[in-house]
Amino acid sequence: MLCATMGKLTPVIAQPPPEAGECYYLQRDTPLEVLANESDHADRLDSIHYFVEAVDQEVAQSATRLDDLEMQLKAADVLYREVLGLTPPLLMPRYQRAGFIMVILRADQSRGGQAYDEVVRSPTVPDCHIRMALGGQVDPAGNLTPAHELFHLYQNAHMMFKQGWVHEGLARWSESLLRGGVQEGKPLPANVEALEVVMQDSYGAAPFWQRLFYLLDPQGDNSIPKELRDKRYHDGGLVVEVSKFYGSAFLPLLFSSLHEVGVALAHQEQWPVYGWAEVEQRSLRHNEIILSAVHHAVSTYMPIADQPDELRAFMQLIEPMIDQ
């Protein structure tokens, strides 16, 4: 069924499992120091190591802020794994060569963050790993950038697509799992022009995903583990504020569908499965392929007869685009 909805893609039959991604050697790397109060992680698969840029030891976090950072990342990881049902990055084929996740606290920025998408090693850190960077002054008690960047690592492990409306839109949506205040969202695009606005957007596409998830899961889910509901930052604020959310059962299917069409596209274009050029990962010319993955995932999750009118109209809207 998937091959039939992929439009220009050639059906892929009996493809061998993709091999693990590469571990690239960085000739030069910023001098880094392991934070002295880093927790001891015995489980390799849940391992997150914290580093600070050695050029400015003032970035070394207070114990309170580092504890808050670790609480947010651990809570987000539980939500992504146990509530959303996503496979952790280090268990995915692309990242099988990575032994841990590195979190770098940067001296040259105060806020913001970045998730990197390749397995790397360097003279500073000789073991293969994946990494994310955070501004040295990010305060997790009032900033969800750490959880946002961790979600990007999950995305990168499952798919090669980094179009803004998918990559940033979904990551911004993921923040609602911790922030709370989840809304039903405004109606899905009703015409091509409105859909193009969404696909040209980035963080602003989050309401599109929120609405899609709500229509697929209107009853919602409140299965937040008790240990997360009780977690609080040092200032007393809740780490996980959400009490109800939508789409948890659908998201793994969406990620799987995006992975499958990405593998098919790589074979068609004769690219390495995990070696796309950055420009291709971000190219909007792949939007129709992405829509085919969305269409397939929705159709698999909810038969047409069960779809509400708004969702059925949206599916009819995108069908001509994915069949070209």
Side-chain angles (χ1 to χ4, degrees):
M1 183 174 180
L2 176 61
C3 292
T5 65
M6 288 194 299
K8 301 175 183 178
L9 293 182
T10 302
V12 178
I13 300 173
Q15 290 291 343
E19 62 182 32
E22 297 294 328
C23 178
Y24 296 96
Y25 185 74
L26 303 176
Q27 294 289 347
R28 292 183 293 179
D29 200 7
T30 302
L32 300 168
E33 297 284 347
V34 180
L35 286 180
N37 55 348
E38 178 193 357
S39 298
D40 179 24
H41 297 271
D43 188 341
R44 170 183 178 274
L45 299 176
D46 289 331
S47 185
I48 299 179
H49 295 178
Y50 299 89
F51 289 72
V52 62
E53 288 184 337
V55 295
D56 185 356
Q57 286 300 317
E58 292 182 2
V59 176
Q61 305 278 306
S62 67
T64 296
R65 185 172 291 177
L66 184 59
D67 284 347
D68 283 349
L69 171 60
E70 190 168 13
M71 275 194 288
Q72 184 179 123
L73 288 176
K74 282 186 174 181
D77 194 47
V78 170
L79 289 172
Y80 304 157
R81 288 187 289 110
E82 298 183 12
V83 177
L84 297 183
L86 298 174
T87 302
L90 298 179
L91 288 178
M92 292 295 290
R94 185 180 187 188
Y95 292 150
Q96 282 183 9
R97 299 187 194 277
F100 62 93
I101 296 172
M102 172 195 284
V103 176
I104 304 172
L105 303 179
R106 282 183 164 163
D108 61 351
Q109 67 182 73
S110 60
R111 297 190 299 172
Q114 184 174 4
Y116 298 89
D117 59 357
E118 301 290 358
V119 181
V120 297
R121 60 190 182 92
S122 71
T124 305
V125 186
D127 296 324
C128 294
H129 61 276
I130 53 178
R131 56 175 62 182
M132 55 185 277
L134 299 170
Q137 298 304 314
V138 165
D139 183 0
N143 189 315
L144 291 174
T145 297
H148 180 108
E149 300 305 330
L150 181 63
F151 190 80
H152 279 323
L153 294 184
Y154 271 80
Q155 289 176 300
N156 294 341
H158 286 78
M159 70 190 78
M160 295 299 295
F161 298 110
K162 289 196 289 188
Q163 287 70 16
W165 67 286
V166 178
H167 198 61
E168 296 296 352
L170 280 170
R172 176 59 57 84
W173 165 83
S174 75
E175 295 177 23
S176 66
L177 297 179
L178 289 94
R179 180 185 296 114
V182 176
Q183 304 296 319
E184 298 175 4
K186 57 185 179 183
L188 293 175
N191 53 57
V192 173
E193 292 74 19
L195 179 58
E196 286 292 340
V197 170
V198 170
M199 295 191 297
Q200 294 288 334
D201 210 334
S202 181
Y203 300 95
F208 163 80
W209 297 108
Q210 179 60 57
R211 183 63 176 179
L212 179 65
F213 298 159
Y214 169 74
L215 293 174
L216 289 166
D217 180 26
Q219 299 304 311
D221 191 341
N222 59 359
S223 59
I224 302 296
K226 185 178 186 302
E227 62 270 24
L228 295 188
R229 295 200 301 269
D230 297 338
K231 283 285 185 183
R232 292 182 179 272
Y233 294 115
H234 283 77
D235 68 359
L238 288 169
V239 176
V240 178
E241 297 187 25
V242 71
S243 58
K244 185 176 183 179
F245 54 93
Y246 307 100
S248 58
F250 173 72
L251 197 68
L253 182 58
L254 175 64
F255 272 37
S256 176
S257 187
L258 286 165
H259 169 72
E260 290 178 21
V261 297
V263 170
L265 177 61
H267 285 300
Q268 176 177 296
E269 299 292 336
Q270 298 185 350
W271 301 333
V273 172
Y274 303 120
W276 299 18
E278 187 72 18
V279 67
E280 293 296 346
Q281 294 180 54
R282 299 181 181 277
S283 175
L284 296 182
R285 74 186 182 95
H286 301 316
N287 277 345
E288 292 175 1
I289 296 169
I290 293 171
L291 287 175
S292 75
V294 173
H295 189 281
H296 170 72
V298 170
S299 300
T300 302
Y301 185 81
M302 180 178 287
I304 294 177
D306 296 335
Q307 295 173 8
D309 291 344
E310 181 184 333
L311 179 58
R312 191 180 303 119
F314 175 74
M315 295 286 278
Q316 293 171 350
L317 172 67
I318 67 176
E319 280 177 2
M321 302 178 68
I322 66 177
D323 289 337
Q324 291 178 4

